[in-house]
Structure formats: C-alpha cells, structure tokens
Amino acid sequence: MENEAQIPYYYFRHLDGTRSQVSGLAMLNPGWCHIRRRLETETVLIVGKKGSALIEDNGRSFEIAAGRMLLLPAGHLHVGARPVKEALSYWWFHFYQCISLDDEMRIFLPKALDQEQAQSFLQAPEKEPALFRDGIILPQTMALSRPSLTGTLCSEALEAFAREKESPLAYYNALIRLLLELGRQSAEQAQAIKESRGPESSSRALVKQVLELLENELSNHNASVKFFADRLGVNADYLGRCFKEVMKTPVGQYVSRRRVELASSRLRESNRSVEEIAAECGFGSRRQFFDEFKRRTGKTPAAYRAESAYVGINAL
C-alpha cells in the first residue's frame, strides 16, 4: 500500500459546479476484482464500509477499507490489484466540476498537489483565501476522522440519488455536504500535524486519549468530563479546557453528537427498537434520545429510519 508520507493531494475547484450522474453502494463477494478502467473527466470517490481490497491507480497501490476514503482521479488508470478474499462493501460516487463559459461547458479536472504544498495551504488557509473560496483540497486516501458521520452522509446522498427525479437539487446538496465534510477532515488533520509539532502537543495528546476512550464508552450514560478526567487521572476543569481548545466544542456536546451519529447508523442498519438503540448509544431515556436526535438532525428517530429504508444498492 502507498506510503502515507508520499500520498498526493488534489485540489477541486468550483465545488458549486459539481455534477454527478451515477453513484451507489457496492456489495461484493469474495473473488471480485475491480475492472481495468480510465475515466477521462470523472473522479471516483470511494468510502469504505466493510472489508478491504487493494486497487492500483496510475501504478500506485491503495487500500479500500472501512473507515477510509479513496479518490481515483479523472484521467488515471485504475485496476484491482488482486481478487478480494472477503465480502467487501463501499459507497462510490462519480463526480466532476464544470461551469458555463461563453455558452460552452468547461470541465475542471482535479489539480494534483504534492504533500508539502498541500499541507502548507491547509495549515495556513488565510494565506491563500481564494483557493478555498469555492474549492477543497483532499488527499488521495485518508483515514476518516468521523467515519460514522461520513457514512451517514454517504447514505443520505444515495437516498437523495434514488429520488433524484423528484428533487434533483437534493442529491446535489447531499453530495456537496459529503465533499465539504471530507474537506473539513482533510484540513483538520493537516492542522493536527502542524499543532503536534508545537507547544500544544501535550494538550492534543490528552485529547486524543479522551477520543479513544469515548469511542468505547458511548453506551455509558455516565460518560462526562469528570468521568474521563477520573479515568486519565487529571483535573476535570483542565481536561475540559484542553478539549474545547483542541476540538472547538465542549466535551458534553461532542459526546452528544457522537451518540447521535452512532444512533443514526444503527437506525439505518438494524431492526432493533428505538428504545434499545437509545440505551445502546448512552441516552438515559427515550425522551432524551428523541429530543437530542431531533435537535441535531431535524427528524425524529422513527422518521429518520423510515426515510433511510430505501437506499439505492448496486450489487456487482
């Protein structure tokens, strides 16, 4: 697999001119191998859901895996490196950017950036404000900072794609939300690299420990600043300040958001009752779950599940 230190980045400009005519959720059996293909104008976005596979893009080997994003840029030749050994599933979106100039449609291909150049832009966006006014910079592959949220956005985009004839703008908006979220994660990871080299590294290391603990304690309704401070042997006020400084949000709000993201995933992918999911995701009561879920998503848990019941699936 490609060395993380050598991963190229791509600049996608005119994001408001994004177009996509095909997308899906691939559900693949052992033995499948990606065909040899080159798309001249469309970039393929892949977000891993289950299993793993290797794919070669312009001679470099990349992994499709749960919790990872992968880009197959327009103009690149890509092919499966070998047949998969286990069941594999991933979301995929073909997209491109274009604008109308003098009554002609101009397509903008992603611009390749080396890692040093991309990191420089991402770590100091104020130096190149025009670059980010209508565009994003993404690495060719990236471990997702918020895999549950990204999965939710992928599913919502496919729902909108399935109903595109009813509301064409819904799919466009959903895809833009997904791309912007990936752009935020790319920028956040670049900032984390920058800050890890500075005097704030001890704070970031502490917050990283909290985030790791949190993922295993989402079902614990006692999870709080004091809970994590006691587990890590630090002062609760100090931990709260460090977390808010690094994550730009209080611990309690972050915990609540992650619980709703987890609940969204389980509402889509299981038949368990709302009460069971509320308990599994750390909510103290059905009412608390209902109120927080609706506040963050604008929908009740039942309505969200009903709207997510139909998702376009491509079984290849």
Side-chain angles (χ1 to χ4, degrees):
M1 192 171 67
E2 184 69 17
N3 187 320
E4 293 281 350
Q6 299 173 354
I7 291 173
Y9 282 67
Y10 292 89
Y11 170 45
F12 295 89
R13 50 186 164 167
H14 296 295
L15 207 61
D16 57 344
T18 297
R19 300 288 185 272
S20 173
Q21 297 178 341
V22 62
S23 62
L25 172 61
M27 302 180 68
L28 308 162
N29 295 320
W32 172 84
C33 189
H34 200 292
I35 62 173
R36 186 181 183 87
R37 181 174 61 184
R38 185 198 310 271
L39 300 176
E40 296 300 333
T41 59
E42 295 179 319
T43 292
V44 184
L45 167 64
I46 292 175
V47 176
K49 189 173 190 292
K50 178 183 177 182
S52 65
L54 290 180
I55 190 166
E56 291 184 1
D57 179 82
N58 268 14
R60 294 180 170 184
S61 183
F62 296 94
E63 184 181 21
I64 299 173
R68 290 196 72 87
M69 174 215 79
L70 173 63
L71 295 171
L72 303 176
H76 286 205
L77 178 66
H78 54 267
V79 63
R82 58 173 178 261
V84 299
K85 297 181 180 180
E86 58 182 348
L88 171 71
S89 61
Y90 58 83
W91 292 279
W92 57 271
F93 303 87
H94 290 197
F95 70 97
Y96 61 95
Q97 281 79 38
C98 65
I99 62 173
S100 179
L101 293 173
D102 299 326
D103 297 325
E104 292 185 3
M105 195 64 70
R106 180 179 177 185
I107 294 177
F108 290 84
L109 300 181
K111 180 181 179 181
L113 303 172
D114 62 45
Q115 189 172 65
E116 183 177 352
Q117 184 182 30
Q119 290 284 333
S120 175
F121 289 147
L122 290 168
Q123 290 171 4
E126 68 280 0
K127 293 182 179 180
E128 293 285 347
L131 195 68
F132 298 94
R133 186 173 299 126
D134 62 356
I136 56 173
I137 294 176
L138 297 175
Q140 184 157 9
T141 187
M142 173 176 67
L144 298 170
S145 305
R146 293 181 285 275
S148 295
L149 174 58
T150 308
T152 295
L153 293 175
C154 286
S155 293
E156 290 177 352
L158 288 195
E159 289 176 41
F161 179 72
R163 300 183 175 92
E164 190 176 20
K165 291 183 179 178
E166 302 171 20
S167 178
L169 281 177
Y171 175 53
Y172 164 80
N173 289 332
L175 183 58
I176 292 297
R177 286 197 299 272
L178 172 60
L179 291 172
L180 287 174
E181 169 60 22
L182 293 172
R184 280 190 290 270
Q185 293 186 34
S186 173
E188 289 168 2
Q189 291 184 23
Q191 287 295 325
I193 291 172
K194 177 183 178 181
E195 293 172 8
S196 69
R197 297 168 180 164
E200 298 179 1
S201 58
S202 60
S203 296
R204 298 198 67 84
L206 179 61
V207 172
K208 181 179 179 182
Q209 289 180 283
V210 174
L211 294 175
E212 291 172 349
L213 279 174
L214 171 61
E215 293 306 309
N216 294 321
E217 298 290 345
L218 284 175
S219 62
N220 182 354
H221 67 270
N222 291 317
S224 64
V225 175
K226 185 178 185 307
F227 173 84
F228 294 121
D230 290 344
R231 288 285 298 272
L232 296 173
V234 297
N235 178 272
D237 289 340
Y238 171 72
L239 176 58
R241 288 196 302 272
C242 288
F243 192 93
K244 188 172 182 179
E245 181 179 311
V246 173
M247 300 301 294
K248 312 305 180 188
T249 187
V251 173
Q253 291 185 21
Y254 186 87
V255 171
S256 177
R257 189 186 80 191
R258 287 291 298 116
R259 284 173 172 163
V260 169
E261 291 171 6
L262 179 61
S264 298
S265 176
R266 294 189 177 179
L267 284 167
R268 290 195 315 272
E269 299 174 5
S270 79
N271 294 318
R272 291 192 290 279
S273 70
V274 170
E275 289 77 8
E276 289 176 310
I277 291 174
E280 291 171 0
C281 296
F283 292 95
S285 67
R286 187 180 190 280
R287 172 52 58 184
Q288 182 193 17
F289 175 42
F290 180 96
D291 291 345
E292 189 63 22
F293 193 92
K294 188 172 184 181
R295 186 178 73 82
R296 290 187 173 273
T297 68
K299 304 172 186 176
T300 66
Y304 181 87
R305 169 173 271 173
E307 291 180 10
S308 302
Y310 178 67
V311 176
I313 293 179
N314 289 30
L316 305 181

